């Protein structure tokens, strides 16, 4: 063990294990998680070469192999709980990319939701047993978020009772679906249904794309890999072009279509919200995990790395002792904790509401749906920038793949665009905020996270006295800071609502007005989400019984709240929520907190409890033996296999010709 | 409609002969002459012509194509970069392009710097500045003829920015008149130098000189590391490649471990210090020019490396945003161009404004460098502190901002921005490296801050004697009369360059004073000088950033004043300048509201002025990116080509990916057994 880390761990004010239990939800959860981890880490079937040294095609191969192994092992180990599946998968592949993943996450669920009993009988068994491997092809090259814009057509031919599938334009080629390029032999394709000369909108069709036995594309199908990407090297995201490709009538998923061809809407659109809420709450958790990993690497390395001098003549200090380094990393550490609790809250809420739905109560779904959209965007944007900041805080070595940080970044960053592009997500939340604002304006109270809109001065019959709402903020009280964030959100929601109204009056068109107010609307959503994060963190801290843990989390919670105020000081000043001298105090208090958190920094990242294999980082090793291992790592690089590289021939010819 | 200039067209595919209507309509009405703007960016029509000539020569050489870069492994990229360098050297010989000529600079820009031996030139330059006449006479011709290949080995595994911390030792042995160069620890292994991993035959090693029992600090030594016969490492040398990185696959960054390697006494570069045969150490002066070469690298990298990456990202993202249609603005309309969404403009126009702002900033810095360089050569070092502070700070600021802006452009392209074929991931991984190389940015901001604090204290020392003239030019505003309140009364007032320049000056001055105040308070409370500094660095960085923003706004506004004879261009650039200044004010509004300089109402006015600029810039957005005049081959982006045929190209390029052309070994090995094994069991 590196001496610096040993000292750091000895000096911590709390026992990391207790905090780990808080993060996992209970000591029992921690135990079970580790049990599953050990199943994988001790299993020789899951060992693999360092992915960084493999070509893209090799990485894909490793992923396919592990994907296949995983299916069997999960069955063998009896892992079925969604959370446990997540732990299991995340561990056995550092990057959590599985080419056959969409078979389970999209193909089968869609079959269950939209297939008739007969269709399920026909396909479900073989897809569950991987007799066929399916994927889900929705996004097209020219069309993403706006579903109605999809161009792929499925035209019914009554003579043969078949659908004729076509990709009529370049922009209609299916693009991006995971597992489509090389792995799958079936796809659920979303296409515009045309029958008797009329278009009936989007429907889902089961389309065989490769021949069983040879895996060759079927006639009329053009399928392949979309080429190299920023990350996700292991995944064969694919394209699919169909030319007059015929499938039997039974391949259209028809649970919601009556035999006479009329379309029955599913019971409630709201029900599909449930799945989306689940996925988005998972992504919020993913933001927290990835940022936590990046913090673990950067903070451990900062405790090991010595550089320059604070005082002449003294030995080079740990870079974690520099105020600027603390200022880069500790607010991110606090953010990682905040997002861990936001993610946990969303998961709990999802489960609770799921029970309500079971009892037929759908009342809370719209708010939750709106909130999760914004929180997915808010946390993924913040984590995206945070991971990159952690990487840069590691200086030059952060740029090497041995740090593990480039991988974390490139595999995390698509979270900002998939499952709903972030700006679009923010605008969904804004729509809900505007609706709530209007509701209050028309005299009805709103509840839940937006209930602060009831208290807006402009909404009251008796205007509140100005002195009542500002300046009372106590910067040492998390509750009081939560109030400050609430006021900021209320103010920005109101500004957005008023600007929207002005534009509506001026432009006559609601849609044009919406576009011209959208920057304000996104701002309002961000402020709302920030408030929610501060509120949830604050509430969580109060629930911690163990004093030493509560104390250290309280410091992080304060830092998270104060740092956000400092970064957005304009909003707090302009809204007269805080005074200039309070902002000055906030900045001073942040520096005090950096010093207070410093002795616990390493223990705080230890509490995330990532195993070295999961971190995939030489810089972030638990034992801190960074430099020896960096040297060993580099020596393993394929470029060093021979002492004289084959390209020496070019060098040799160089001086003979010049 | 102005026909598509021949130099922009990708010769190889069919689409470029026709324009996508969505991009064609953007070029229909031109509010300014794009060619003239290109000439301004090139520094004259002659330069534009010369650049295009070089580009057409480069593009006619298939060996210099970038086409397959996205499909290559690290090994292949390295080999290709060496081949390209070799090819360009032959071209240069044939066409008479001399070293350091404009032609070679343009050639390097055209291939996006995808060339080997970049550090070989630094090796050669360092010998020229630190070597004696005899040493230069011996080594320089060998370098020029590539009879040896050099690298510059300074950074060690455990030591970067802080030079005194380097551990490599060079101990003089008077008995044999040799230096023994040695890496005493793991952390002393040289790490990161480019061209070291596989190419270099010689390394310029920075090491602690030890002679006659005393340590004399860092000196430079020429150490042969690989055999000139068969390229194998020489005895005592352990060297290799440091492994995969985020980018710079074409460069063989390497490691070097020295085990008591002996080199002759003559291999220490001895223009400024010597070791006599008996081991006596003689100092011959201070190598300020050494210092100057570091400054030169920072100045050069902004124009040569960092800025084009942002300009390319803007070109790709803006072009794609007029071709991409998504959702509807009105229910009855067809899907709208994504550039018509306000949120998309908010994402792309600040980067575009920066791409122009930083063009003028980087050129201004280059001019200042040349000017100071000539006076330094005349022995006048008066400008050195300011030059150093300015180049360090601007390097930090531009690399930071460009990195964030490129990432913003990438994400603004949605899913397709994640594909390497868009070109954007590579632009990002390339530009982000500039935040840590040639000086870590936080360290550089703090160097600027030190200069600011010193300058401010000078203005306080003796009010009478500190005449304005003696204050370095970039900080004269420290003594300008205070404006305590912003005079703006309408949103339109925020479109006056003087108003927003003053606003930035005000904030910078306040934060610098704040910095000094914090420092002095701690000192008076008894803190030791160095602790006090460390405990106030967060505010110092903030002050330096505000100062640098002020400097960039000022340079941009001054550049605009010189464009009076071209009013149409002046107008369109002024919008970008306004946007640049206001974007900064709004993202830092707390700093402006803090002491009441801006009122809440004024901040709202500034926001309105900012929002009103977006649709105005929208009209010219495509033309503004056309003016950067990148050829399609140089952009190397399926999304960003001049003709707007993004989708056709994306499809065609994807089909060429090795994952589609080289079969699928995973099928035979794993997928088939998976499918069949299951079936057998079921």
């Amino acid at each position: 063990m590196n001496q610096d880390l040993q000292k750091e761990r000895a000096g911590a004010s709390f026992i990391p294990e207790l905090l780990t239990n808080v993060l996992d939800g209970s000591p029992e959860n921690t135990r079970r998680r580790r049990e599953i981890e050990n199943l994988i880490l001790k299993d020789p079937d899951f060992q693999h070469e360092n992915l960084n040294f493999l070509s893209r095609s090799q990485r894909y191969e490793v992923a396919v192999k592990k994907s296949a192994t995983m299916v069997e092992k999960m069955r063998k180990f009896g892992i079925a709980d969604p959370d446990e599946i997540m732990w299991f998968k995340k561990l056995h592949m550092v990057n959590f990319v599985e080419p056959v993943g969409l078979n389970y996450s999209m193909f089968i669920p869609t079959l269950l939701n939209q297939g008739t009993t007969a269709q399920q009988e026909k396909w479900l068994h073989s897809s569950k047993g991987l007799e066929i491997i399916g994927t889900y092809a929705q996004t097209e090259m020219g069309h993403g978020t706006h579903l109605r814009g999809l161009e792929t057509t499925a035209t019914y031919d009554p003579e043969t009772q078949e659908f004729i599938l076509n990709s009529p334009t370049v922009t209609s080629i299916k693009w991006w679906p995971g597992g489509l390029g090389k792995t799958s032999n079936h796809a659920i394709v979303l296409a515009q249904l045309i029958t008797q000369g009329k278009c009936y909108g989007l429907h889902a069709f089961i389309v065989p794309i490769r021949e069983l036995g040879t895996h060759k594309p079927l006639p009329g199908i053009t399928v392949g890999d979309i080429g190299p990407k920023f990350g996700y090297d292991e995944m064969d995201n694919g394209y699919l072009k169909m030319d007059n490709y015929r499938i039997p009538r039974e391949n259209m998923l028809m649970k919601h279509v009556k035999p006479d061809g009329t379309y029955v809407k599913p019971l409630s659109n709201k029900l599909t919200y449930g799945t989306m809420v689940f996925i988005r709450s998972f992504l919020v958790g993913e933001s927290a995990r990835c940022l936590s990993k990046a913090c673990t690497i950067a903070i451990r390395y900062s405790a090991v790395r010595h550089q320059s001098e604070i005082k002449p003549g003294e030995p080079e200090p740990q870079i974690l002792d520099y105020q600027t380094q603390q200022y880069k990393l500790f607010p991110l550490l606090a953010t990682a904790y905040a997002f861990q609790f936001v993610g946990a809250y969303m998961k709990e809420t999802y489960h609770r509401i799921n029970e309500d739905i079971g009892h037929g109560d759908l009342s809370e779904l719209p708010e939750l749906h709106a909130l999760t959209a914004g929180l997915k965007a808010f946390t993924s944007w913040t984590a995206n920038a945070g991971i990159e900041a952690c990487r840069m805080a590691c200086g030059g070595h952060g740029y090497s793949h041995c740090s593990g940080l480039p991988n974390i970044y490139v595999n995390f960053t698509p979270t900002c665009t998939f499952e709903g592009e972030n700006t679009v997500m923010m605008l969904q939340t804004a729509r809900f905020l505007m609706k709530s604002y209007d509701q209050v304006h028309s005299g009805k109270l709103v509840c839940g996270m937006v209930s602060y809109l009831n208290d807006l001065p402009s909404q009251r019959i008796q205007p509140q006295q100005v002195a009542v709402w500002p300046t009372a903020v106590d910067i040492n009280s998390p509750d009081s800071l939560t109030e400050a964030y609430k006021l900021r959100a209320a103010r920005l929601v109101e500004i957005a609502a008023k600007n929207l109204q002005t534009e509506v009056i001026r432009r006559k068109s609601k849609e044009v007005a919406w576009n011209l107010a959208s920057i304000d609307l996104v701002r309002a959503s961000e402020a709302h989400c920030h408030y929610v994060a501060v509120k949830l963190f604050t509430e969580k801290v109060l629930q911690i019984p163990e004093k030493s843990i509560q104390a250290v989390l309280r410091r992080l919670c304060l830092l998270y709240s104060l740092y956000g105020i400092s970064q957005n000081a304009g909003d707090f000043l302009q809204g007269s929520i805080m005074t200039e001298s309070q902002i000055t105090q906030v900045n001073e208090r942040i520096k005090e907190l950096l010093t207070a958190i410093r002795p616990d920094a390493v223990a705080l990242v230890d509490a995330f409890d990532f195993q070295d294999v999961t971190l995939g980082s030489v810089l972030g090793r638990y034992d801190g033996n960074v430099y020896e291992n960096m040297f060993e790592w580099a020596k393993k690089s394929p470029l060093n296999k021979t002492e004289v590289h084959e390209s020496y021939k070019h060098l040799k010819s160089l001086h003979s010709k010049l | 409609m102005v026909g598509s200039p021949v130099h922009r067209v990708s010769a190889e595919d069919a689409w470029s002969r026709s324009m996508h209507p969505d991009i064609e309509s953007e070029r229909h009405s031109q509010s300014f002459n794009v060619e003239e703007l290109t000439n301004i960016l090139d520094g004259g029509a002659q330069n534009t012509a010369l650049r295009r000539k070089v580009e057409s020569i480069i593009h006619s050489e298939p060996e210099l194509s970038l086409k397959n870069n996205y499909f290559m492994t690290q090994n292949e990229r390295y080999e290709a970069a060496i081949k390209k360098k070799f090819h360009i050297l032959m071209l240069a010989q044939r066409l008479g392009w001399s070293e350091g000529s404009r032609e070679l600079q343009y050639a390097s820009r055209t291939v996006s710097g995808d060339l080997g031996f970049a550090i070989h030139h630094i090796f050669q330059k360092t010998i020229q500045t630190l070597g004696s006449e005899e040493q230069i006479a011996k080594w320089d011709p060998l370098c020029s003829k590539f009879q040896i290949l050099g690298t510059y080995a300074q950074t060690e595994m455990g030591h970067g920015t802080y030079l005194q911390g380097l551990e490599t030792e060079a101990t003089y042995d008077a008995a044999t008149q040799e230096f023994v160069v040695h890496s005493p620890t793991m952390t002393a292994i040289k790490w990161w130098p480019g061209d070291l991993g596989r190419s270099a035959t010689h390394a310029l090693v920075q090491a602690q000189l030890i002679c006659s029992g005393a340590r004399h600090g860092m000196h430079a030594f020429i150490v042969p590391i690989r055999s000139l016969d068969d390229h194998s490492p020489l005895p005592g040398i352990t060297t290799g490649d440091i492994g995969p990185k985020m980018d710079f696959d074409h460069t063989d960054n390497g490691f070097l471990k020295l085990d008591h390697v002996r080199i002759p006494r003559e291999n220490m570069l001895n223009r400024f210090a010597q070791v006599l045969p008996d081991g006596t150490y003689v100092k011959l002066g201070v190598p300020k020019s050494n210092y100057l070469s570091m400054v030169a690298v920072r100045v050069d990298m902004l124009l040569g490396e960092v800025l084009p990456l942002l300009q390319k990202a803007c070109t790709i993202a803006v072009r794609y945003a007029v071709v991409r249609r998504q959702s509807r603005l009105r229910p009855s309309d067809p899907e709208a161009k994504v550039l018509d969404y306000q949120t998309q403009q908010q994402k792309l126009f600040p980067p575009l404004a920066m791409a122009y702002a930083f063009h003028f900033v980087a050129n201004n810095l280059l001019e200042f460098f040349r000017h100071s360089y000539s006076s330094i050569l005349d022995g006048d070092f008066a400008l050195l502190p300011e030059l150093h502070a300015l180049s360090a700070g601007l390097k930090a600021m531009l690399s930071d901002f460009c990195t964030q802006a490129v990432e913003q452009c990438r994400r603004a392209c949605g899913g397709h921005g994640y594909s390497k074929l868009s070109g954007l991931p590579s632009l990002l991984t390339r530009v982000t490296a500039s935040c840590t190389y040639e000086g870590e940015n936080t360290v550089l901001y703090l160097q600027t801050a030190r200069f600011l604090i010193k300058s401010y204290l000078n203005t306080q020392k003796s009010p009478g004697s500190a005449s304005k003239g003696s204050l370095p030019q970039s900080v004269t505003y420290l003594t300008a009369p205070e404006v305590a309140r912003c005079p703006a009364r309408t949103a339109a007032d925020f479109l006056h360059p003087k108003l927003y320049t003053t606003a930035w000056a005000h904030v910078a001055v306040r934060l610098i004073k704040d910095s000094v105040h914090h420092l002095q308070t701690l000192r008076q409370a008894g803190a030791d000088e160095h602790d006090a500094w460390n405990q106030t660095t967060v505010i110092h960085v903030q002050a330096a950033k505000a100062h640098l923003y002020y400097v960039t706004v000022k340079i941009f506004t001054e550049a605009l004043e010189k464009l009076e004879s071209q009013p149409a261009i002046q107008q369109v650039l002024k919008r970008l300048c306004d946007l640049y200044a206001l974007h900064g004010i709004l993202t830092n509004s707390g700093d402006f509201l803090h002491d009441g300089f801006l009122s809440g109402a004024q901040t709202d006015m500034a926001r309105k002025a900012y929002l009103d600029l977006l649709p105005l810039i929208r009209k010219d957005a495509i033309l503004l990116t056309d003016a950067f005049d990148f050829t399609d081959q140089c952009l190397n982006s399926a999304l960003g080509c001049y003709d707007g045929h993004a989708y056709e190209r994306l499809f065609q390029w994807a089909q060429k990916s090795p994952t589609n052309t080289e079969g699928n070994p995973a099928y035979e090995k794993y997928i088939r057994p998976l499918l069949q094994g299951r079936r057998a069991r079921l």
Side-chain angles (χ1 to χ4, degrees), chain A residues 56 225-228, chain B residues 71 421 652-662:
Chain A
R56 194 174 154 227
D225 176 271
I226 62 162
Chain B
F71 301 137
L421 305 181
Q652 193 201 46
W653 290 17
Q655 286 171 299
K656 288 186 188 155
S657 165
T659 41
N660 294 321
T661 56
E662 289 174 6

Side-chain angles (χ1 to χ4, degrees), chain B residues 177-197:
Chain B
Q177 297 206 21
E178 288 171 323
F179 290 104
V180 183
V181 193
H182 184 59
S183 317
T185 61
M186 181 68 68
T187 43
I189 299 174
K190 295 290 177 188
W191 205 265
W192 281 109
D195 299 346
L196 168 61

Side-chain angles (χ1 to χ4, degrees), chain B residues 428-501:
Chain B
L428 176 66
T429 49
R430 187 88 179 241
V431 72
T432 192
S434 67
C435 296
T436 47
Y437 68 61
E438 296 305 331
E440 195 275 330
N441 280 353
T442 304
V443 175
L444 296 184
Y445 283 127
L446 287 172
Q447 288 177 3
T448 304
R450 264 191 210 279
F451 168 79
L452 294 173
I453 291 170
K454 225 168 153 181
S455 303
Y456 178 77
L457 290 176
N458 276 340
T459 67
Q460 301 300 298
K461 254 181 206 155
S462 43
S465 70
S467 68
K468 216 180 153 186
S470 70
L471 213 53
Q473 199 250 330
S474 59
V475 287
T476 46
Y477 70 102
L478 288 175
T479 54
E482 276 273 314
V483 181
R485 296 275 179 275
C486 174
R489 277 180 297 175
T490 64
D493 287 343
F494 278 95
L495 303 178
H496 290 296
K498 189 161 179 284
L499 185 125
Y500 52 67
T501 314

Side-chain angles (χ1 to χ4, degrees), chain A residues 271-567:
Chain A
L271 282 174
T272 56
Y273 284 0
T275 327
M276 279 198 254
V277 169
F278 176 74
I279 293 173
R280 287 175 192 165
S281 70
F282 170 72
L283 292 178
V284 171
E286 196 56 14
S287 301
R289 274 185 294 274
C290 290
L291 183 56
S292 304
K293 275 190 199 175
C295 286
T296 305
I297 296 167
I299 287 177
R300 282 183 185 157
Y301 177 62
S302 298
V304 170
R305 175 88 172 175
H306 290 252
Q307 190 69 40
S308 303
E309 52 181 21
I310 292 175
K311 288 184 200 179
E314 289 190 0
E316 296 184 76
Q318 293 164 287
I319 57 174
L320 200 55
D321 286 332
Y322 288 95
Q323 191 187 53
T324 45
Q325 189 76 354
Q326 296 170 4
Y327 193 69
K328 278 179 204 171
L329 295 177
F330 295 169
L332 293 174
L333 178 64
T335 306
Y337 271 94
F339 290 179
Q340 292 269 4
F341 297 131
V342 174
Y345 166 85
M346 284 177 60
K347 212 169 67 186
E348 281 160 31
T349 314
Y350 168 76
H351 288 309
R352 183 171 55 77
I353 289 187
N354 233 3
E355 269 174 41
D356 290 348
I357 294 172
H359 303 128
D361 176 7
L362 304 180
S363 58
E364 277 188 81
L365 258 183
E367 172 176 3
L368 189 68
H369 176 246
L371 179 66
T372 54
L375 284 174
K376 177 258 178 183
F378 178 73
T379 56
S380 61
W381 265 337
T382 311
N384 194 66
I387 295 164
E388 184 65 350
C390 285
R391 188 184 61 71
M392 288 201 207
C394 294
H397 292 329
Y399 195 73
S400 164
H401 275 300
C402 78
S403 73
L405 290 162
N407 268 332
I408 296 176
Y409 186 73
V410 298
N411 287 315
F412 176 74
T413 191
T415 311
C416 298
T417 45
F418 65 43
E419 296 300 334
E421 195 277 327
N422 275 357
T423 304
V424 177
M425 292 296 97
M426 280 296 185
L427 288 170
Q428 276 186 17
T429 302
R431 228 174 254 286
F432 178 76
L433 293 173
M434 292 304 107
K435 221 169 109 188
S436 305
Y437 179 88
D438 288 344
Q439 198 177 325
V440 174
H441 211 66
S442 63
K444 274 185 273 174
L445 290 183
V446 291
C447 54
M449 292 284 188
V450 287
S451 57
Y452 59 80
L453 294 175
N454 299 331
D455 305 331
L456 273 172
S458 60
Q459 305 281 30
R460 294 177 176 234
I461 303 158
Q462 293 262 295
Q464 208 172 12
Q465 282 176 2
V466 183
V468 180
W469 110 332
T471 62
V473 178
D474 172 2
I475 65 160
N476 285 309
S477 151
D479 281 332
S480 179
L481 293 172
T482 310
E483 283 300 301
Y485 275 92
K486 188 198 264 190
L487 293 175
R488 168 179 177 242
R491 178 173 168 270
L492 291 179
V493 168
E494 176 152 59
I495 287 173
K498 286 187 170 162
N499 289 349
L500 180 61
Q501 235 147 28
T502 315
E503 292 291 349
V504 169
I505 293 164
R506 200 179 336 153
R507 310 277 166 178
K508 306 278 192 291
S509 151
K510 261 190 180 167
E511 290 80 11
V512 174
W514 182 264
N515 184 34
L516 290 171
S518 53
I519 291 176
D520 288 325
L521 290 163
V522 170
R523 256 179 103 208
S525 288
E526 278 181 315
H528 177 71
C529 293
H530 210 154
Y531 154 67
V532 171
V534 167
K535 179 181 153 78
L536 293 176
F537 198 171
T538 302
E539 287 171 358
K540 182 74 196 179
V541 171
L542 293 176
Q543 294 162 12
I544 310 274
E546 170 62 38
K547 281 280 167 288
S548 62
I549 302 294
Q550 196 186 42
V552 68
L553 283 182
R554 190 172 182 280
R555 283 195 279 275
L556 285 177
C557 180
L558 271 177
L559 180 63
Y560 178 68
S561 309
L562 293 173
Y563 184 76
I565 291 175
S566 169
Q567 294 299 297

Side-chain angles (χ1 to χ4, degrees), chain A residues 73-322:
Chain A
K73 299 267 166 161
M74 281 211 300
R75 213 166 285 167
K76 189 175 145 204
F77 298 144
I79 291 165
D81 175 78
D83 277 345
E84 294 195 347
I85 290 176
M86 233 28 122
W87 292 335
F88 188 85
K89 289 185 173 178
K90 289 210 70 66
L91 260 158
H92 87 93
M93 280 183 252
V94 174
N95 292 332
F96 184 45
V97 176
E98 38 169 351
V100 301
L102 266 82
N103 184 59
Y104 294 95
S105 64
M106 292 301 293
F107 188 84
I108 292 174
T110 310
L111 198 57
L112 284 171
N113 284 333
Q114 298 184 34
T116 61
T117 320
Q119 288 175 324
Q120 293 186 13
E121 257 168 37
K122 180 168 177 196
W123 304 103
L124 204 55
H125 189 65
S126 45
S127 55
K128 274 191 171 167
L130 279 182
E131 193 177 329
I132 62 171
I133 301 174
T135 181
Y136 182 81
Q138 174 178 302
T139 305
E140 294 174 359
M141 200 197 274
H143 309 277
T145 315
H146 183 64
L147 280 189
R148 278 166 295 166
L150 296 181
E151 295 176 82
T152 304
T153 56
T155 311
Y156 186 61
D157 177 356
E159 263 177 47
T160 59
Q161 299 212 9
E162 288 171 323
F163 289 105
I164 309 165
L165 288 159
N166 266 305
S167 313
T169 59
V170 178
T171 43
S172 75
I173 297 172
K174 294 290 177 189
W175 204 265
W176 282 111
L180 172 64
K182 300 273 130 187
T183 315
S184 303
N185 52 26
H186 281 69
I188 287 181
V189 170
L190 252 70
Q192 304 282 357
L193 167 62
I194 298 168
T195 177
Q196 295 169 340
K198 215 179 141 192
C199 180
Y200 288 89
L202 286 182
H203 288 75
F205 301 84
I206 293 194
V207 182
I209 53 173
R210 290 176 186 275
E211 186 184 48
L212 298 179
T214 66
H215 212 56
K216 283 196 179 127
L218 291 162
I221 296 285
T222 310
V223 65
D225 176 271
I226 62 162
K229 300 160 305 244
F230 202 14
Y232 275 74
D233 278 0
E234 296 80 4
M235 180 62 100
D236 55 326
N237 297 83
Y239 58 77
L240 172 65
K241 186 169 175 293
M242 292 166 293
D243 294 298
N244 289 316
Y245 184 71
R246 288 175 173 264
I247 54 169
R249 194 180 65 88
E250 297 76 40
N251 282 24
M252 179 174 119
L253 294 180
M254 287 193 267
K255 194 178 193 172
H256 307 302
V257 182
K258 279 192 197 163
D260 65 354
T262 49
Y263 186 73
V264 217
K265 263 196 160 182
L267 207 59
S268 165
N269 266 338
K270 288 179 183 168
L271 282 174
T272 56
Y273 284 0
T275 327
M276 279 198 254
V277 169
F278 176 74
I279 293 173
R280 287 175 192 165
S281 70
F282 170 72
L283 292 178
V284 171
E286 196 56 14
S287 301
R289 274 185 294 274
C290 290
L291 183 56
S292 304
K293 275 190 199 175
C295 286
T296 305
I297 296 167
I299 287 177
R300 282 183 185 157
Y301 177 62
S302 298
V304 170
R305 175 88 172 175
H306 290 252
Q307 190 69 40
S308 303
E309 52 181 21
I310 292 175
K311 288 184 200 179
E314 289 190 0
E316 296 184 76
Q318 293 164 287
I319 57 174
L320 200 55
D321 286 332
Y322 288 95

